């Protein structure tokens, strides 16, 4: 009789687990909870239940192939297969255990390079080693995230409600492949950067799909007001604009090495800042090189960089981008600016699309040069490693571009700006958009579902552009004329640039 064993992994709630929770509900352990803890966990989290189903194990065939090994040996192998599945699913859902912050600080500051930098600081400034160490501890607290499952759950509810109000839809592609990679090795998310919503979209997406949210590298300007406190507890860690301070640089590098060594999912923006032109900017290799150093210093077998392209039918920061392109100074993030930005909730901003590109294996990329790069024994080794990081950065950016989905706004903007005049008859616009879609297909570019559904007349696209005030319509005996005002040219340019590389 055919018999199959089907391993099941049940998760009552998404998000990471802390090393120690408050009294563990009457002194139970995280792995052996008390009856009170079980009941409380069920009542709080039953609506978040997720079941992950493994591939069935054909027990009949498995036994027939190994019958000579004996019953005990076969049972142990089946048991191990089940445990491997459960471990991998648990790893991708919960991630590494969240240790108390003071223990993380002890681990990071125990780095030999940090200790050398502390001694150097004490000598330079004529201070005691204890005072220099206290300065390093302050720097760690300035940098480090303090992820908390409760904050993640609360923020998920709030941000999801905001997304439902702001976006018509949020579409994704390629997430299943990324989850499969994350079961075996740590991953580093490397998204394009067009909006402040980028990191919120990814964190909520991972949380909703029972994947551990990433630790996100953020500039210190995002730590304004109480939001710095909140962002730290949902995974953000902060870095200064300048790394001129040698002690600060070593503390930051040691913290990144800790994240790699422990296997935390990370996220950083390789462009360094938001693109104001719509094009993917030249990569900054600083953070990438620290991740490479962290991998070389660890015993990790591999580390995967996941390029991600995030596209919007309409950018919420469109107005501020135009001001900056016109020469205006960038405004610092503040509570007042956040209050003023509440007006974005009063309108719909179209769809957002998150596309995960093909991950890049760091182990495969380095090959047999791992020992050479780790030692950096000669100047030539250091130069080779620098060239490797530069090449890796270019590959990541190229894959971000390749993963980009063309949406209706980008195609329409390309059609308008491909003319010497500011408008055209509706049937002319439709024909131009059809030609551009055909060219995109020749380049194997991917098209958003909304764009595919809207062919061949693109009525929804035109209606959206009219509602968004990007274009205007005027009657004419020859038919409806669609045109844009001169002041909208730069806006259309931003959206066209998103697919210009195709």
């Amino acid at each position: 009789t055919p018999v199959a064993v089907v391993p099941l992994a049940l998760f009552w709630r998404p998000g990471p687990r802390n090393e120690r929770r408050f009294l563990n509900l009457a002194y139970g352990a995280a792995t052996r909870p008390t009856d009170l803890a079980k009941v409380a966990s069920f009542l709080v989290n039953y609506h978040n239940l997720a079941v992950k189903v493994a591939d069935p194990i054909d027990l009949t065939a498995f036994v027939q192939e190994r019958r000579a090994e004996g019953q005990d040996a076969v049972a142990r192998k089946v048991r191990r297969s089940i445990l491997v599945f459960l471990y991998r699913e648990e790893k991708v859902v919960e991630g590494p255990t969240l240790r108390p912050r003071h223990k993380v600080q002890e681990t990071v500051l125990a780095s030999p390079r940090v200790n050398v930098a502390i001694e150097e600081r004490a000598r330079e400034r004529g201070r005691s080693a204890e005072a220099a160490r206290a300065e390093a501890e302050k720097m760690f607290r300035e940098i480090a995230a303090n992820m908390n499952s409760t904050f993640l759950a609360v923020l998920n509810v709030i941000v999801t409600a905001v997304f439902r109000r702001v976006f018509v839809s949020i579409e994704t592609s390629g997430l299943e492949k990324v989850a499969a990679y994350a079961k075996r090795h740590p991953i580093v998310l490397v998204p394009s950067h067009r909006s402040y919503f980028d990191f919120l979209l990814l964190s909520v997406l991972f949380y909703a799909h029972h994947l551990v949210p990433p630790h996100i590298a953020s500039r210190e300007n995002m730590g304004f007001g109480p939001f710095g406190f909140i962002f730290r507890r949902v995974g953000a860690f902060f870095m200064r604009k300048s790394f001129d301070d040698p002690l600060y640089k070593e503390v930051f590098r040691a913290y990144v090495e800790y994240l790699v060594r422990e296997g935390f999912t990370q996220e950083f923006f390789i462009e360094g800042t938001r693109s104001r032109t719509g094009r993917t900017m030249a990569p900054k290799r600083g953070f990438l090189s620290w991740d490479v150093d962290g991998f070389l210093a660890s015993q990790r077998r591999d580390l995967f960089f996941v390029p991600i392209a995030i596209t919007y039918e309409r950018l919420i920061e469109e107005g501020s981008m135009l001001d900056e392109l016109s020469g205006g100074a960038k405004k610092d993030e503040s509570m007042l600016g956040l209050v003023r930005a509440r007006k974005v909730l009063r309108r719909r901003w179209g769809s957002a699309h998150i596309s995960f590109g093909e991950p890049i294996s760091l182990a495969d990329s380095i090959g047999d040069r791992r020992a050479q790069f780790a030692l950096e024994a000669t100047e030539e080794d250091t130069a080779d490693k620098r060239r490797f990081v530069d090449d890796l950065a270019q590959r990541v950016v190229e894959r971000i571009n390749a993963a980009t989905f063309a949406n209706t706004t980008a195609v329409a903007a390309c059609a308008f700006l491909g003319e010497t005049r500011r408008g055209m008859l509706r049937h002319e616009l439709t024909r131009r958009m059809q030609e551009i879609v055909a060219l995109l297909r020749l380049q194997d570019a991917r098209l958003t579902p909304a764009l595919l559904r809207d062919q061949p007349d693109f009525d929804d696209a035109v209606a959206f552009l009219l509602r968004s005030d990007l274009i205007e319509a005027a009657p004419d005996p020859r038919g409806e004329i669609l045109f844009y005002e001169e002041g909208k040219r730069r806006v259309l340019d931003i959206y066209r640039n998103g697919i210009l590389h195709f």
Side-chain angles (χ1 to χ4, degrees):
T1 303
V3 177
V5 175
V6 185
L8 302 176
L10 278 73
F11 297 95
W12 292 99
R13 62 185 176 90
R17 304 293 185 265
N18 293 326
E19 189 175 82
R20 184 190 307 171
R21 300 171 66 188
F22 178 68
L23 295 182
N24 285 323
L25 286 179
Y27 304 100
T31 54
R32 301 176 69 86
T34 64
D35 290 340
L36 176 61
K38 293 175 186 176
V39 173
S41 179
F42 171 77
L43 293 176
V44 172
N45 301 302
Y46 70 91
H47 54 285
N48 288 324
L49 175 66
V51 181
K52 302 294 183 73
V53 185
D55 294 331
I57 300 171
D58 185 347
L59 195 60
T60 307
F62 195 91
V63 170
Q64 287 176 353
E65 292 174 5
R66 299 166 177 80
R67 187 177 295 275
E69 299 178 20
Q71 180 175 322
D72 289 344
V74 172
R76 281 197 301 272
K77 289 183 178 180
V78 173
R79 178 178 181 272
R80 184 177 183 279
S81 298
I82 296 171
L83 290 177
V84 167
F85 165 76
L86 294 176
Y87 167 75
R88 287 176 174 172
E89 291 298 332
E90 180 180 292
K91 177 183 176 183
V92 77
V93 172
E94 300 178 0
T97 301
L98 297 176
R99 300 167 64 193
R101 203 177 185 199
H102 69 274
K103 289 188 177 181
V104 179
Q105 176 179 295
E106 290 174 5
T107 302
V108 170
L109 298 189
S111 164
R113 296 180 65 159
V114 172
N115 284 318
V116 170
I118 289 174
E119 293 172 3
E120 185 66 26
R121 175 59 56 89
R123 269 196 309 274
E124 283 179 358
R125 303 193 176 179
R127 303 166 65 184
S128 65
E130 290 77 11
R133 183 175 180 82
E135 190 175 353
E137 291 174 354
K138 183 179 178 181
M139 290 174 178
F140 170 84
R141 292 190 294 272
E142 177 187 332
I143 294 166
N146 192 16
M147 187 179 278
N148 181 281
S149 293
T150 302
F151 277 84
L152 282 168
V154 173
L155 191 70
N156 176 66
V157 172
I158 296 172
V159 174
T160 300
V162 171
F163 286 168
R164 286 174 181 164
R165 180 72 184 85
V166 171
F167 298 113
V168 174
S169 65
I170 299 174
E171 301 160 345
T172 63
S173 61
L175 181 60
E176 299 80 8
K177 181 184 290 187
V178 173
Y181 279 98
K183 291 176 184 178
R184 291 166 172 78
H185 300 287
I187 59 174
V188 180
L189 308 179
V190 192
S192 59
H193 199 13
R194 302 292 179 269
S195 168
Y196 285 129
F197 277 89
D198 294 340
F199 72 93
L200 290 174
L201 280 170
L202 286 174
S203 292
V204 169
L205 177 67
F206 269 57
Y207 190 86
H209 285 81
H210 281 74
L211 300 170
V212 61
H215 278 62
I216 308 166
S218 306
R219 289 291 184 189
E220 60 183 352
N221 60 313
M222 292 301 295
F224 63 94
F227 286 90
F229 175 85
I230 295 172
F231 291 158
R232 280 189 199 277
R233 278 150 185 81
V234 296
F237 60 98
F238 297 97
M239 54 184 173
R240 297 174 183 174
K241 290 183 180 179
S242 171
F243 282 79
D244 293 339
D245 188 329
L247 178 58
Y248 177 86
K249 183 177 180 179
E250 292 302 333
V251 173
F252 190 89
R253 288 182 61 177
Y255 181 69
V256 174
E257 287 180 8
Y258 166 80
L259 296 178
V260 174
R261 185 170 62 251
E262 295 297 314
F264 286 100
T265 298
Q266 297 177 60
E267 177 188 334
F268 74 94
F269 298 104
I270 199 166
E271 298 168 271
T273 185
R274 289 176 301 150
S275 170
R276 270 67 169 179
T277 64
R279 302 181 187 182
T280 302
M281 298 189 295
K284 305 288 193 300
R285 66 181 187 87
F287 197 93
L288 184 65
S289 67
W290 295 327
D291 266 331
V292 171
D293 288 341
F295 173 73
L296 295 172
S298 71
Q299 300 300 315
R300 287 282 169 192
R301 287 181 296 172
D302 211 342
L303 180 69
F304 282 89
F305 292 98
V306 183
I308 306 170
I310 306 177
T311 54
Y312 301 87
E313 284 190 324
R314 190 83 190 273
L315 283 166
I316 294 174
E317 298 95 337
E318 185 182 282
S320 63
M321 286 184 177
L322 288 178
D323 289 342
E324 292 173 30
L325 286 172
S326 300
K330 179 184 180 298
K331 296 179 181 177
D332 292 334
E333 289 72 19
S334 65
M335 284 298 298
L336 180 60
L338 192 66
V339 171
R340 288 173 177 169
R342 70 187 186 279
K343 63 184 178 182
V344 304
L345 300 177
R346 299 173 188 167
R347 60 189 303 182
R348 305 280 267 179
W349 295 84
S351 300
H353 198 103
I354 307 170
S355 172
F356 294 85
E358 185 64 31
I360 298 174
S361 164
L362 185 55
D364 289 348
S365 299
I366 292 177
D368 57 3
R369 296 174 291 177
R370 183 165 184 172
Q372 171 193 342
F373 286 169
L375 291 174
E376 290 189 76
T378 65
E379 291 184 4
E380 185 177 352
D381 291 340
T382 302
D384 285 345
K385 179 182 168 186
R386 188 178 296 111
R387 283 192 293 270
F388 167 78
V389 173
D390 287 339
D391 179 65
L392 180 62
Q394 293 294 339
R395 289 173 60 199
V396 170
V397 169
E398 287 169 3
R399 293 199 183 187
I400 290 174
N401 277 344
T404 300
F405 269 68
N407 59 33
T408 53
T409 311
V411 171
C414 203
F416 272 110
L417 297 180
E419 293 281 349
T420 55
R421 46 194 173 148
R422 288 190 291 113
M424 63 190 88
L425 294 169
R426 189 179 186 117
H427 70 84
E428 292 178 324
L429 174 65
T430 300
R431 177 175 54 80
R432 296 279 301 189
M433 292 179 69
Q434 290 171 350
E435 291 171 353
I436 291 165
V437 168
L439 288 171
L440 289 168
R441 289 184 186 278
L442 288 174
Q443 296 293 328
D444 292 327
R446 290 176 279 187
L447 311 176
T448 62
L451 180 59
L452 292 172
R453 290 192 301 267
D454 206 17
Q455 295 183 81
D457 298 326
F458 300 105
D459 291 333
D460 291 342
V462 172
F464 177 73
L465 293 172
L466 289 169
R467 285 197 309 271
S468 302
D469 297 325
L470 289 176
I471 65 172
E472 298 182 29
D476 188 86
R478 297 167 295 170
E480 185 181 30
I481 294 178
L482 300 172
F483 66 98
Y484 62 90
E485 295 291 351
E486 188 60 38
K488 296 294 184 181
R489 178 183 291 273
R490 274 193 164 177
V491 182
L492 293 173
D493 197 44
I494 291 173
Y495 295 115
R496 178 195 59 177
N497 287 344
I499 61 171
L500 197 61
H501 56 276
F502 289 123

